Amino acid sequence: MPNKKVGKQSLVFENKPYIIGRGTVVGQKEGQGPLASDFDIILKDDMFGQKSWEKAESKMLKEAMYKAISRAGISKEDIDVMLAGDLINQLMSSSFAARDMHIPFIGLYGACSTMTESLMVGSMLVDAGFVGSALVGASSHFCTAERQFRTPVEHGNQRPPSAQWTATAAGSAVVASPAILPRGMTGKPKMIRAESATIGKVIDAGVKDANQMGAAMVPSAVDTLLNHLEDLGRDIEYYDLVVTGDLGFIGKEMMIDLLAGAGLSKAAIKEHYNDCGTMLFSKDQDVHSGGSGCGCSASVFCGHLLKRMEQGKIKRLLLMSTGALLSTISPFQGESIPGITHAVSLEVE
Amino acid sequence: MPNKKVGKQSLVFENKPYIIGRGTVVGQKEGQGPLASDFDIILKDDMFGQKSWEKAESKMLKEAMYKAISRAGISKEDIDVMLAGDLINQLMSSSFAARDMHIPFIGLYGACSTMTESLMVGSMLVDAGFVGSALVGASSHFCTAERQFRTPVEHGNQRPPSAQWTATAAGSAVVASPAILPRGMTGKPKMIRAESATIGKVIDAGVKDANQMGAAMVPSAVDTLLNHLEDLGRDIEYYDLVVTGDLGFIGKEMMIDLLAGAGLSKAAIKEHYNDCGTMLFSKDQDVHSGGSGCGCSASVFCGHLLKRMEQGKIKRLLLMSTGALLSTISPFQGESIPGITHAVSLEVE
């Protein structure tokens, strides 16, 4: 059998699948943030014309997917498989979106790491030729997450400064083999390709405070990044940008400290590292420690970062969505919050 | 890029990964059923020494995985990735098992189709050489599922005859490339290999009764089987056994009727088709329409079916775990129950 495994937990894409389409839908608050101009659809009403927040989130994911497909210049019938996940119990957003899409579906759950998980597994399936194209994506909605994981939204619970704001956002991308590339696309100057990936381990540093999600996820992000760099024999400077999913303002500072503690140059970290949770909202938007949710890195990646890659402003990107694997009942049973971080390296051809 | 895609939604494994280990843990009731002698561990107490049913289920999955690893004759350190899922919100069983295993983890959710989903994706990753070995599996627990999806267990709710019994069971298998095969294993007469797979679509026939899960899942099972046979150019007679996940006694009859309606010979269907939900329990065990839950097909496959393949009694098997993608809140929002069915073809060398 071939061997695409590199080091302990990484792998290289032999054929480097293309990212040929991307789509995003975000809520009102996200549309007032610094990245507003990068999103395809900004909702005027977070209900999106639906009767429940859950249905609204599912519609957001579906619309982001349709946008990704149309931007790729292909049709839904050209898609071989959809890989997606979200935070709602039993992946309600993704499952019902997949029902309406009516294409083969692989449901994934990695909490807020799901955007990278779907991109990683989708790229593997395309790279190996099991499918010609994969539609990947993830979503979250402030109101669906808040009422499922925390308190009734109407309760207007006061949030500590360390809490993060679940993004109302969906992002989707189309991963494809050259055979699927639409006519005229081949040879475009700025083709984005998946180059390698690192599958994350579940790491639990014992954090039990659900208002400290950044802190709970940082250890896994550090572990995945250090393993990725070691497995591939790279420095952080290799990447124009290494971006974590949603560590937020506090988690980002911890990440920088821990990476510096592991021997990386603090100047290099500051120049090459950022966090989607600190990019999606500005500090004056009253989101406390920043954005979170599957939709955070999904929308920042599919809206902002892929656009910068298309423009050639970012040539090498390491996307590292971060997930906190607590359940709605695990804290009540005395469990701490484990984290997971997957990584996918993308490059402009 | 290579092309392993066949027909509309199927794929072939070019290198045919080996299934080198398997492990099962089941509850007391499952241990009193017709397959009792096929399971590795039968619990005397469904709490498994834990303080909650959820922790018990997580421990069951972990123990099934350890059993699969030890039966494979390898060690945990030889495993490159774990792929698993369960029914508990946020995959509590799998996530916490993955934390304790401390190996790279890809979380999957396909409701009761998860055993086949994990086997399918794990086999793809091994076949393509992204990993040398994959630990796959799924679990369910009557008490965790009952209280999450239905009513408090203590309530002792009366169940209609069409209801199924969520299995307290976990199953796990090790998928590996030849490079991982333990010394002495190569050339064994009965090597089991993954041969092809079909990725399921989400199909919704409009069933809204959560006590008719078999009926809700049957349309997706029919769709996947017919597409699999067409994509691969096979008849149902090609397989010694085609086995669905957990359609139960009522669902199995519907499946037979629908397949016959689609033109398959009823005699051939009856000779070559069965359902794990009707195999795990006998009718006199008061389980109404039979077994269900991720653990149903996981334990029947990893305990009973793989054992029969090792013995050469089954040479070609099509495993088709079936999942109902309802969420804990979707029925309250007027949604019907969509189903999904993935298929993996296995053969004895």
Side-chain angles (χ1 to χ4, degrees):
Chain A
M1 294 195 192
N3 183 15
K4 301 175 188 174
K5 191 189 160 192
V6 179
K8 276 192 291 184
Q9 59 191 82
S10 302
L11 51 100
V12 289
F13 297 118
E14 197 180 341
N15 302 297
K16 295 186 187 170
Y18 294 85
I19 316 297
I20 63 169
R22 58 184 183 83
T24 45
V25 178
V26 302
Q28 220 173 357
K29 195 180 185 82
E30 292 70 17
Q32 293 160 350
L35 307 183
S37 64
D38 293 330
F39 302 124
D40 295 318
I41 299 170
I42 297 174
L43 303 185
K44 285 185 186 125
D45 168 9
D46 287 2
M47 289 295 281
F48 208 1
Q50 298 298 297
K51 285 187 178 170
S52 73
W53 292 316
E54 288 75 16
K55 287 176 192 253
E57 184 184 328
S58 189
K59 187 178 173 189
M60 288 174 67
L61 179 61
K62 207 164 57 181
E63 292 301 320
M65 291 188 150
Y66 277 122
K67 191 74 202 172
I69 292 169
S70 73
R71 190 176 266 127
I74 59 175
S75 70
K76 186 168 80 67
E77 288 63 39
D78 296 318
I79 301 289
D80 289 334
V81 67
M82 163 180 164
L83 300 103
D86 56 87
L87 294 174
I88 312 184
N89 294 340
Q90 290 81 47
L91 310 189
M92 185 172 165
S93 305
S94 309
S95 298
F96 284 90
R99 176 188 65 180
D100 297 347
M101 303 293 285
H102 207 67
I103 45 180
F105 173 61
I106 293 175
L108 303 170
Y109 185 78
C112 306
S113 73
T114 307
M115 182 67 228
T116 304
E117 185 184 0
S118 69
L119 178 67
M120 177 176 74
V121 180
S123 298
M124 291 199 241
L125 269 48
V126 171
D127 188 66
F130 293 118
V131 295
S133 61
L135 184 62
V136 304
S139 65
S140 58
H141 191 298
F142 177 79
C143 296
T144 64
E146 199 67 11
R147 76 163 163 183
Q148 179 178 284
F149 288 105
R150 294 174 192 97
T151 52
V153 182
E154 298 82 353
H155 180 246
N157 199 43
Q158 197 170 348
R159 301 150 54 80
S162 61
Q164 290 174 241
W165 187 274
T166 305
T168 300
S172 173
V174 177
V175 186
S177 77
I180 298 292
L181 293 186
R183 211 183 295 259
M185 201 163 196
T186 328
K188 254 199 194 173
K190 303 285 180 275
M191 294 295 284
I192 302 162
R193 306 181 76 163
E195 183 264 339
S196 63
T198 299
I199 310 172
K201 292 195 292 280
V202 179
I203 292 183
D204 193 334
V207 173
K208 289 196 175 193
D209 181 356
N211 284 310
Q212 291 278 6
M213 297 295 244
M217 297 186 287
V218 165
S220 75
V222 170
D223 184 79
T224 297
L225 179 54
L226 294 181
N227 275 303
H228 177 83
L229 296 177
E230 191 186 324
D231 286 347
L232 277 298
R234 292 174 185 169
D235 298 319
I236 193 167
E237 291 92 332
Y238 176 88
Y239 291 102
D240 296 323
L241 185 64
V242 171
V243 66
T244 44
D246 53 350
L247 300 180
F249 293 106
I250 297 172
K252 181 182 165 182
E253 290 309 312
M254 294 175 69
M255 178 86 178
I256 293 171
D257 285 349
L258 287 171
L259 290 177
L264 275 69
S265 132
K266 206 151 186 168
I269 302 166
K270 289 204 167 171
E271 201 186 319
H272 296 270
Y273 165 66
N274 209 343
D275 177 75
C276 297
T278 68
M279 299 163 73
L280 182 60
F281 298 111
S282 65
K283 277 195 170 175
D284 59 15
Q285 283 186 285
D286 199 26
V287 292
H288 297 43
S289 190
S292 69
C294 304
C296 180
S297 65
S299 63
V300 173
F301 170 65
C302 300
H304 179 73
L305 297 170
L306 283 179
K307 190 175 170 187
R308 294 295 169 291
M309 295 191 84
E310 287 167 4
Q311 295 166 339
K313 291 177 184 166
I314 299 173
K315 291 204 170 61
R316 287 171 175 171
L317 175 77
L318 188 68
L319 177 71
M320 294 176 48
S321 304
T322 41
L325 295 172
L326 81 168
S327 90
T328 44
I329 55 170
S330 61
F332 298 118
Q333 298 189 2
E335 286 289 1
S336 46
I337 305 172
I340 191 163
T341 306
H342 302 295
V344 173
S345 156
L346 299 130
E347 58 180 34
V348 171
E349 202 172 51
Chain B
M1 295 198 192
N3 183 15
K4 301 175 187 174
K5 192 190 160 192
V6 179
K8 277 193 291 183
Q9 59 192 82
S10 302
L11 52 100
V12 289
F13 297 118
E14 197 180 341
N15 301 297
K16 295 186 186 169
Y18 294 86
I19 316 296
I20 62 169
R22 59 185 183 83
T24 45
V25 178
V26 301
Q28 220 172 359
K29 194 180 185 82
E30 292 70 16
Q32 292 160 351
L35 307 183
S37 64
D38 292 331
F39 302 123
D40 295 318
I41 300 171
I42 296 173
L43 302 186
K44 285 185 187 127
D45 168 10
D46 287 2
M47 289 294 282
F48 207 0
Q50 300 297 297
K51 285 187 178 171
S52 73
W53 291 316
E54 288 76 17
K55 287 176 193 253
E57 184 185 328
S58 188
K59 187 177 173 188
M60 288 174 67
L61 179 61
K62 207 164 58 179
E63 292 300 321
M65 290 188 150
Y66 277 122
K67 192 73 202 175
I69 292 170
S70 74
R71 191 177 265 126
I74 59 175
S75 70
K76 187 167 80 67
E77 288 63 39
D78 296 318
I79 300 289
D80 289 333
V81 67
M82 163 180 165
L83 300 102
D86 56 86
L87 294 174
I88 312 184
N89 295 340
Q90 290 80 47
L91 312 188
M92 185 172 166
S93 304
S94 309
S95 298
F96 284 89
R99 176 188 65 180
D100 297 347
M101 303 293 285
H102 206 67
I103 45 181
F105 173 61
I106 294 176
L108 302 170
Y109 185 77
C112 307
S113 73
T114 307
M115 183 66 228
T116 304
E117 186 184 359
S118 68
L119 179 67
M120 176 176 74
V121 180
S123 298
M124 291 199 242
L125 269 48
V126 171
D127 188 66
F130 293 118
V131 295
S133 61
L135 184 63
V136 304
S139 65
S140 58
H141 192 298
F142 177 79
C143 296
T144 64
E146 199 66 14
R147 75 162 163 185
Q148 178 178 284
F149 289 105
R150 294 175 192 96
T151 52
V153 182
E154 298 82 353
H155 181 246
N157 198 44
Q158 196 169 348
R159 304 148 53 80
S162 62
Q164 291 173 242
W165 188 275
T166 306
T168 299
S172 173
V174 177
V175 186
S177 77
I180 298 292
L181 294 186
R183 211 185 294 259
M185 200 164 197
T186 328
K188 255 198 192 174
K190 303 284 180 279
M191 293 295 284
I192 303 162
R193 306 181 76 164
E195 183 265 339
S196 62
T198 299
I199 310 173
K201 292 196 292 281
V202 179
I203 292 183
D204 193 334
V207 173
K208 290 197 173 192
D209 180 356
N211 285 310
Q212 291 279 7
M213 298 295 245
M217 296 187 287
V218 165
S220 74
V222 171
D223 184 79
T224 296
L225 179 55
L226 294 181
N227 275 302
H228 177 82
L229 296 177
E230 192 187 324
D231 286 347
L232 278 298
R234 292 175 184 168
D235 298 319
I236 193 167
E237 292 92 332
Y238 177 87
Y239 292 102
D240 296 323
L241 184 65
V242 171
V243 67
T244 43
D246 52 350
L247 300 180
F249 293 106
I250 297 172
K252 180 182 165 182
E253 290 310 311
M254 294 175 68
M255 178 85 178
I256 293 171
D257 285 349
L258 286 171
L259 289 177
L264 274 69
S265 133
K266 207 151 185 166
I269 301 167
K270 289 205 167 171
E271 201 185 320
H272 296 270
Y273 165 66
N274 209 343
D275 178 75
C276 297
T278 68
M279 299 162 74
L280 182 60
F281 298 111
S282 65
K283 278 194 169 173
D284 59 15
Q285 282 186 285
D286 198 28
V287 292
H288 298 44
S289 190
S292 70
C294 304
C296 180
S297 65
S299 62
V300 173
F301 171 65
C302 300
H304 178 73
L305 297 170
L306 283 178
K307 190 176 170 186
R308 293 296 170 288
M309 293 191 86
E310 288 167 3
Q311 294 166 340
K313 291 177 184 167
I314 299 174
K315 290 204 169 62
R316 287 170 174 173
L317 175 77
L318 188 68
L319 177 71
M320 295 178 47
S321 304
T322 41
L325 295 172
L326 81 168
S327 90
T328 44
I329 55 171
S330 62
F332 298 118
Q333 298 189 0
E335 287 288 2
S336 46
I337 305 171
I340 191 163
T341 306
H342 302 294
V344 173
S345 156
L346 298 129
E347 58 180 33
V348 171
E349 201 171 52

